[in-house]
Amino acid sequence: MPNPAQVFSLTDCNSFYASCERVFRPDLAKTPIVVLSNNDGCVIARSYDAKPFVKMGAPYFQIKDIVRQRGIQVFSSNYALYGDMSERVMTIVESMTDSCETYSIDEIFSDLSGMPGDLDALGRRIRATVLRCTGIPVGVGIATTKTLAKLANHTAKRLQTQTGGVVNICDDFKRDWVLRNTDVSEVWGIGRRLKAHLTELRINSAMDLARADPQMLRNKFSVVVEKTARELRGTACLELEEAAPAKHEICCSRAFGKRLTDLQPIKEAVATYMMRASEKLRAQRSLCRKIRVSIRTGMFNPNEAKFANGALIELPYPTDDVRILTKTALGAVEQVFRPGFNYSKAEVLLLNLCRRGEFTEDLFATSQPESTDRIMGVMDQINGRWGRGTLRSASVPAAPEWAMRREFLSQSYTTRLDQLWQVS
DNA sequence: TCTGGGGTCCTAGGACCC
DNA sequence: TCTGGGGTCCTAGGACCC
């Protein structure tokens, strides 16, 4: 049987962050691993053998006992490591397929349309090559739409031993088996709320959703759900997006390593977050016209007074100048800060982004001076070469008191010369 | 004591215009 | 005195993803 006209694959790394840690710690091959979010807050990745003991998203302080009892190895997030390992995996998949879309740090879609030969065999080759070259195990799902490829991938993970980590459901019979045997909540795009609503309509399996009336789905929910159902039937509604489009908003938001009560350290944090946000802005060659700065107290502890406040500020002209952005943001912090609260988090949002040269110049509008472009360019170059924060605004401290908690951080094995893997 | 961070898309409703 | 209706733009909020 010839391959269908349109075919997608989804390659997805298994327990990605946990797998990255394990690559450099072969002594932990048989030890369950969990990786925590920033500030060692909650669980965001679990190795296969840790899943039975620890729930995804569980706060670390609640699982300490289990961790000790089961001998689970805990890691703080090490995004320098995960980002670099991700690039290696993506490069390999890109070299083996014609066109690709990197969907997230651990997932990549490929367009296999028109590829000759046995697609299952190609899937197995991808899996074997990535494992051999990076040490990261992946699953591969193959199908005629992106939503079905996601589902195939999910099945490959769920039935790891039977499938060898590769599932191809281009065949109608296999596709229908998977649809019938998958809960609708496992479908890409169906979250908790929709699941509850669909249950009321007696739509329980992926097959039920595929067979539901598209018009009804559009009326009751939205075009998004309608498209999902059509994709499950095999009608492609989503295309491969090879070039990542420029972001419409850029955000840098982080909880502090400890509660802050004074204005000064909060201003330091906001200046730091703005530095990071403006780096992202310049990296995609955009300018920003509005910013929003917000701060808040903890929201979980019932004994803590709750407060949240933010300010939206329009800039005099579209800019990517970290000096103007920081000055504006610090003014905003003063505006929103109220004494007497324990603040836990600040957020900087860059809004109304436009590509360089795209905005309409009105006669009286000032635009960013050329000297700024040169200064920002040199600063980004220096920081790119010598590390983030080498050159920074005076309002950004090197070792702040409010720094992120990262008690279980591994080395940056692949991106720092002074932290290379050592074999003795 | 301790509960992540960064995005997307869609829809509804208000403001405003003619 | 008459108090419509269609269109656009913007914003806030909801839902989802990893």
Side-chain angles (χ1 to χ4, degrees):
Chain A
M1 203 179 66
N3 294 329
Q6 189 162 41
V7 187
F8 296 96
S9 69
L10 176 68
T11 305
D12 180 324
C13 304
N14 298 345
S15 313
F16 182 54
Y17 299 167
S19 298
C20 288
E21 299 291 352
R22 198 172 255 168
V23 166
F24 296 93
R25 291 290 303 273
D27 57 307
L28 299 179
K30 303 243 183 283
T31 307
I33 293 173
V34 300
V35 179
L36 303 177
S37 63
N38 281 344
N39 275 313
D40 296 337
C42 53
V43 174
I44 55 169
R46 306 161 296 164
S47 64
Y48 187 72
D49 42 7
K51 289 186 185 185
F53 310 121
V54 178
K55 267 210 276 206
M56 193 67 169
Y60 174 57
F61 72 93
Q62 285 177 4
I63 59 159
K64 275 185 178 165
D65 287 344
I66 290 283
V67 162
R68 205 173 326 113
Q69 283 162 25
R70 299 286 173 177
I72 296 171
Q73 179 76 38
V74 176
F75 286 98
S76 304
S77 302
N78 183 346
Y79 287 104
L81 178 64
Y82 312 150
D84 186 66
M85 292 301 285
S86 170
E87 264 182 50
R88 296 173 189 219
V89 171
M90 302 311 174
T91 305
I92 293 167
V93 176
E94 282 164 2
S95 75
M96 298 180 73
T97 57
D98 286 341
S99 42
C100 295
E101 170 190 344
T102 299
Y103 175 68
S104 75
I105 194 165
D106 69 337
E107 286 168 274
I108 180 165
F109 283 106
S110 303
D111 187 351
L112 306 187
S113 309
M115 300 245 336
D118 182 352
L119 297 180
D120 296 50
L122 174 63
R124 286 192 295 272
R125 276 205 305 281
I126 290 175
R127 199 168 179 277
T129 310
V130 172
L131 186 62
R132 177 161 43 81
C133 298
T134 66
I136 302 290
V138 300
V140 181
I142 302 170
T144 54
T145 69
K146 287 169 92 175
T147 305
L148 284 169
K150 270 280 223 184
L151 207 57
N153 184 285
H154 177 257
T155 310
K157 269 191 186 165
R158 190 160 57 111
L159 307 175
Q160 177 83 40
T161 42
Q162 296 95 312
T163 61
V166 178
V167 167
N168 177 353
I169 55 170
C170 287
D171 173 86
D172 287 359
F173 180 79
K174 287 186 184 159
R175 181 192 66 197
D176 287 353
W177 186 91
V178 167
L179 287 175
R180 274 198 308 276
N181 288 283
T182 306
D183 191 274
V184 71
S185 60
E186 306 294 337
V187 173
W188 189 30
I190 306 299
R192 251 194 18 255
R193 301 297 180 109
L194 283 171
K195 156 77 180 168
H197 206 142
L198 288 167
T199 306
E200 289 170 18
L201 299 170
R202 291 207 232 150
I203 294 174
N204 297 308
S205 68
M207 181 60 100
D208 294 339
L209 184 59
R211 287 189 175 153
D213 173 26
Q215 192 61 53
M216 180 277 289
L217 292 173
R218 181 189 287 236
N219 294 341
K220 277 212 153 60
F221 302 97
S222 68
V223 293
V224 182
V225 178
E226 183 199 353
K227 279 187 187 172
T228 298
R230 288 189 190 277
E231 285 246 319
L232 289 178
R233 291 184 184 205
T235 308
C237 303
L238 305 172
E239 289 172 11
L240 202 74
E241 285 171 27
E242 284 187 73
K247 307 219 178 307
H248 298 140
E249 48 188 70
I250 287 171
C251 173
C252 183
S253 141
R254 234 155 265 168
F256 314 130
K258 61 175 207 180
R259 294 285 193 265
L260 297 178
T261 50
D262 298 336
L263 180 57
Q264 186 49 35
I266 295 179
K267 287 170 88 170
E268 291 174 5
V270 166
T272 308
Y273 300 176
M274 183 54 94
M275 175 176 77
R276 181 71 196 108
S278 75
E279 282 168 6
K280 296 185 200 174
L281 181 71
R282 292 189 297 275
Q284 71 163 33
R285 297 193 51 73
S286 292
L287 302 171
C288 122
R289 280 181 281 196
K290 269 188 197 170
I291 67 169
R292 191 186 144 84
V293 176
S294 55
I295 55 175
R296 63 190 301 176
T297 60
M299 290 291 150
F300 292 96
N301 187 344
N303 303 321
E304 235 176 329
K306 290 178 189 50
F307 176 67
N309 200 9
L312 186 65
I313 295 168
E314 188 138 10
L315 295 154
Y317 52 86
T319 183
D320 63 8
D321 186 339
V322 71
R323 297 165 300 178
I324 295 175
L325 292 167
T326 304
K327 197 172 162 201
T328 312
L330 293 181
V333 182
E334 287 180 8
Q335 202 181 312
V336 299
F337 176 84
R338 300 282 179 278
F341 292 100
N342 295 324
Y343 292 91
S344 72
K345 188 175 182 175
E347 176 173 293
V348 168
L349 256 170
L350 307 184
L351 300 159
N352 284 34
L353 308 190
C354 52
R355 305 311 299 269
R356 280 175 165 277
E358 205 175 60
F359 56 94
T360 3
E361 292 221 38
D362 84 54
L363 202 52
F364 304 101
T366 0
S367 60
Q368 179 159 295
E370 263 178 51
S371 59
T372 298
D373 293 348
R374 287 202 298 276
I375 293 170
M376 291 301 116
V378 168
M379 188 180 74
D380 288 334
Q381 254 177 17
I382 290 174
N383 287 335
R385 167 140 197 189
W386 301 103
R388 186 167 288 153
T390 303
L391 195 61
R392 58 180 193 273
S393 131
S395 42
V396 173
E401 49 156 331
W402 43 265
M404 225 196 281
R405 280 193 311 277
R406 300 169 98 183
E407 208 184 316
F408 316 104
L409 186 63
S410 53
Q411 290 162 240
S412 293
Y413 301 101
T414 61
T415 52
R416 292 279 302 261
L417 273 177
D418 55 341
Q419 296 185 18
L420 290 181
W421 199 34
Q422 295 194 2
V423 182
S424 44

